[in-house]
Amino acid sequence: MSALNSTVEPVPSAWAALGGRALTSAIVAQEVPPTCHALGANNKLVFAPGMLSGTTAVNSGRLSAGAKSPLTGTIKESNAGGTAAQVLARLGVKALIIEGIPKGDGWYGLLVNKTGVRIVEEKELIGKGNFAVIEALEQRLGKTGVLTIGPAGEMKMLSANISVRDADGKLRSHGRGGLGAVMGSKRIKYIALDGADAPAVPLADPGKFTAAARTFAKAIMNHPGTGQGLPTYGTAEMVNIVNAAGGLPTRNFLHGKYEHNEKISGETLRETIIERGGNPSHGCQAGCIIKCSQVFLDKKGKYVTSGMEYETIEILGANAMIGDLDVIAEADHLMDDIGIDSIETSVAIGVAMDGGVLPFGDGQGVLRLLREELRPGTPLGRTIGSGAGNVGKLYGVTRVPVVKNQAIPAYDPRAIKGIGITYATSTMGADHTAGYAVATNLMGVGGGIVDPLKKDGQVELSRHLQIATVMLDSVGLCLFIGFPSADDPTCVPAIVDMLNARFGLELTPEWFGGLGVTTLKTERAFNQAAGFTNEHDRLPEFFREPLAPSGAVWDFTGEEIDQFWNF
């Protein structure tokens, strides 16, 4: 962006077998100075489709985005569905790497097609919300893949995300870590991906690929989680499960149970959607057979939002004590349009409520905050948009649920200790998707429940899941493929067989696991060079206080947490 030009480079041999998160982290670790300013010219923004993206493998359309995070100061990979990964893969793009900062004050769009990248000046869409950008680009260019930032990204708010157009012209998000601010620092409003006349992704062995893809799809559909639970209730099925376990954050992580949990449960969400003529089972990407997303309509049958996830529902619903799905859905829509991470922002709102900015339960106040403060970027809006950690500092709140300055999502680690280890040790700050121990702690995925209230086995569980998650993120597969991968012995071999048939390789399940180990160590080495130590792998001290009503506490020592990295 410094010179406003583009080049096409051959893939280095060391990266030939990489994709998704493994590739974005490898590029960032090699090419970005760990101590650089995340919003400065030395940071790079990298997009990489997964290794199976663009093929007929189900649930393989996830895109990785990587950079140094302005929110945490660590390395960052963020993962999203939508249409972009499949278009990039069909265009033969292994990675799109954006570097430098333009001179002057102009804004730009990137147009990517089979001939390369064209950089165009953009004036009309600056200041517009993400939905308006998607609509305008469809009128200009047709139905292209789109990556875009909203006003939050333009203002470089530390919680800004990058939105991705889905197949219905709605939005999915690269949330967490503020990568929208990095894109805004490079003054790129959007990236349009035109897959017209792009060939099909080549397969080295089509017959072998088809057979393995069928085995893989069967494993997904046969698993009760991915074949029944998630398609029926979406991720909001976790509301009642986590509430029963006493780990549902309530009133800014003061309590672990919410008395109005049924108002925001997956069961109530499904009933409401069906009653209004919405879609309770919807895919975030072409080829999705899990369909844990949904399309939520208001009382008049008008579209509000898609993909309203458990974490947003819980953090606004229970943690902010707003037991109203309509208010939560409207807030989700506003955050999508503004381009701000719904987890970080919702946790920040809970901390702000604890600091007296709004009363707990003030849903209309939250909507006003989003419309009148966050969207125009007032001082209060920028404060909220800078994340929960910064809100806590400015308002003198001591109960601030963050690790490495990134907000803890909708599971209290005192009652679900495995996810606490993931929050503490993740290379990217608190992130439930980094190693989803909740599935084993509460649901028995992976061969048996690891008692969520005991320390036994939690470090090993989180380590195993974090390694496995890197593998899924690198292949371009949905996180929930982890369910059948843990329980069905045919699933992982089928993934490896698809990779071999796609590229003509002879990879093994052992290589697959090694990819996860190598990537985690690469990410940790970047963080260490940036100044992070084991002391940053800790939860806030307020988690040592008993969680009502169970009395559970976070009781891991630093030495016990540090055992995570013994591999």
Side-chain angles (χ1 to χ4, degrees):
M1 294 306 295
S2 300
L4 297 181
N5 63 16
S6 67
T7 59
V8 178
E9 301 175 1
V11 179
S13 58
W15 297 344
L18 303 182
R21 176 175 169 182
L23 184 54
T24 63
S25 289
I27 294 171
V28 171
Q30 181 166 314
E31 299 191 359
V32 174
T35 57
C36 76
H37 196 298
L39 299 179
N42 290 322
N43 200 6
K44 298 188 180 185
L45 180 60
V46 184
F47 296 97
M51 290 182 276
L52 290 179
S53 296
T55 71
T56 57
V58 297
N59 290 83
S60 62
R62 306 289 295 188
L63 179 69
S64 289
K68 178 176 177 175
S69 165
L71 179 72
T72 65
T74 66
I75 199 168
K76 179 61 189 170
E77 182 266 357
S78 182
N79 200 271
T83 57
Q86 291 152 325
V87 177
L88 280 172
R90 292 203 315 273
L91 290 172
V93 176
K94 187 82 164 178
L96 180 66
I97 305 172
I98 302 168
E99 57 187 51
I101 288 178
K103 301 177 180 66
D105 299 323
W107 282 85
Y108 301 88
L110 304 186
L111 305 179
V112 184
N113 60 24
K114 64 179 183 178
T115 65
V117 179
R118 187 159 59 95
I119 303 169
V120 296
E121 189 170 5
E122 178 59 51
K123 295 181 179 179
E124 176 188 341
L125 299 178
I126 306 310
K128 301 288 187 182
N130 283 318
F131 289 106
V133 173
I134 296 290
E135 183 178 349
L137 290 178
E138 184 169 327
Q139 292 174 353
R140 288 184 197 175
L141 307 171
K143 292 187 177 181
T144 62
V146 176
L147 299 159
T148 172
I149 58 171
E154 293 180 35
M155 290 182 274
K156 295 178 279 191
M157 292 184 186
L158 301 186
S159 301
N161 63 22
I162 299 171
S163 295
V164 188
R165 183 188 185 277
D166 71 11
D168 297 325
K170 307 304 182 184
L171 299 175
R172 304 292 153 169
S173 299
H174 286 287
R176 315 312 318 269
L179 296 191
V182 178
M183 189 160 155
S185 74
K186 300 185 181 303
R187 290 205 286 283
I188 296 172
K189 178 63 175 176
Y190 63 82
I191 303 169
L193 309 167
D194 182 4
D197 300 321
V201 171
L203 301 175
D205 189 333
K208 182 179 178 181
F209 187 92
T210 298
R214 287 173 178 165
T215 300
F216 176 62
K218 184 177 179 181
I220 295 172
M221 295 309 297
N222 286 345
H223 193 278
T226 49
Q228 299 168 29
L230 286 166
T232 303
Y233 299 112
T235 59
E237 70 170 336
M238 297 305 299
V239 170
N240 285 341
I241 294 172
V242 179
N243 194 65
L248 197 74
T250 302
R251 199 178 179 90
N252 191 29
F253 284 77
L254 183 63
H255 306 293
K257 286 195 172 184
Y258 180 48
E259 63 177 336
H260 301 301
N261 60 293
E262 287 295 345
K263 291 183 178 181
I264 59 170
S265 69
E267 292 81 353
T268 300
L269 178 64
R270 177 179 173 83
E271 291 170 6
T272 303
I273 289 171
I274 292 173
E275 180 182 304
R276 297 177 181 178
N279 187 353
S281 186
H282 177 263
C284 75
Q285 55 181 285
C288 173
I289 60 173
I290 298 175
K291 296 185 177 181
C292 70
S293 180
Q294 76 292 116
V295 177
F296 188 93
L297 309 181
D298 66 14
K299 293 175 183 178
K300 297 181 180 180
K302 181 181 177 182
Y303 172 86
V304 181
T305 192
S306 304
M308 188 164 60
E309 304 293 347
Y310 159 76
E311 289 73 27
T312 305
I313 292 172
E314 195 288 323
I315 290 294
L316 285 178
N319 199 55
M321 303 186 74
I322 302 170
D324 187 329
L325 284 173
D326 282 302
V327 172
I328 296 168
E330 180 62 22
D332 192 56
H333 173 88
L334 289 170
M335 288 187 282
D336 279 350
D337 199 39
I338 295 165
I340 199 85
D341 178 27
S342 62
I343 294 178
E344 188 71 43
T345 305
S346 298
V347 175
I349 288 170
V351 175
M353 288 176 166
D354 218 354
V357 176
L358 288 174
F360 280 99
D362 187 359
Q364 293 305 313
V366 168
L367 297 180
R368 286 194 301 273
L369 182 68
L370 293 171
R371 293 190 185 106
E372 299 174 14
E373 307 287 350
L374 258 162
R375 189 181 190 94
T378 68
L380 176 57
R382 286 177 178 268
T383 297
I384 301 294
S386 292
N390 292 305
V391 172
K393 290 176 182 176
L394 287 171
Y395 285 92
V397 179
T398 57
R399 195 165 55 250
V400 183
V402 299
V403 178
K404 302 180 182 73
N405 203 43
Q406 183 162 279
I408 289 176
Y411 309 90
D412 196 299
R414 289 168 285 192
I416 312 170
K417 294 186 187 296
I419 201 66
I421 295 294
T422 296
Y423 291 156
T425 58
S426 167
T427 55
M428 304 179 194
D431 182 356
H432 65 292
T433 69
Y436 192 62
V438 176
T440 303
N441 279 169
L442 300 185
M443 302 161 70
V445 172
I449 292 177
V450 177
D451 190 330
L453 294 173
K454 295 181 179 179
K455 294 195 288 185
D456 300 344
Q458 306 293 0
V459 171
E460 294 78 11
L461 172 65
S462 179
R463 181 193 299 132
H464 168 74
L465 291 172
Q466 290 196 51
I467 292 169
T469 299
V470 172
M471 294 151 56
L472 296 176
D473 290 343
S474 302
V475 176
L477 295 174
C478 165
L479 174 69
F480 294 126
I481 302 305
F483 288 17
S485 293
D487 290 333
D488 189 325
T490 69
C491 189
V492 172
I495 295 172
V496 176
D497 286 346
M498 286 191 291
L499 288 171
N500 287 332
R502 161 73 174 89
F503 294 104
L505 301 172
E506 295 183 0
L507 307 176
T508 64
E510 290 73 25
W511 175 90
F512 201 28
L515 177 68
V517 170
T518 300
T519 301
L520 281 180
K521 290 187 174 181
T522 296
E523 293 169 352
R524 188 179 188 226
F526 180 96
N527 291 348
Q528 288 174 325
F532 288 84
T533 69
N534 286 359
E535 292 303 312
H536 292 95
D537 291 350
R538 304 290 185 261
L539 298 188
E541 63 181 4
F542 79 85
F543 285 118
R544 302 285 178 184
E545 302 167 3
L547 174 67
S550 68
V553 298
W554 179 254
D555 52 358
F556 280 88
T557 67
E559 291 76 14
E560 289 169 333
I561 295 172
D562 293 343
Q563 295 302 309
F564 174 90
W565 291 106
N566 289 343
F567 64 93

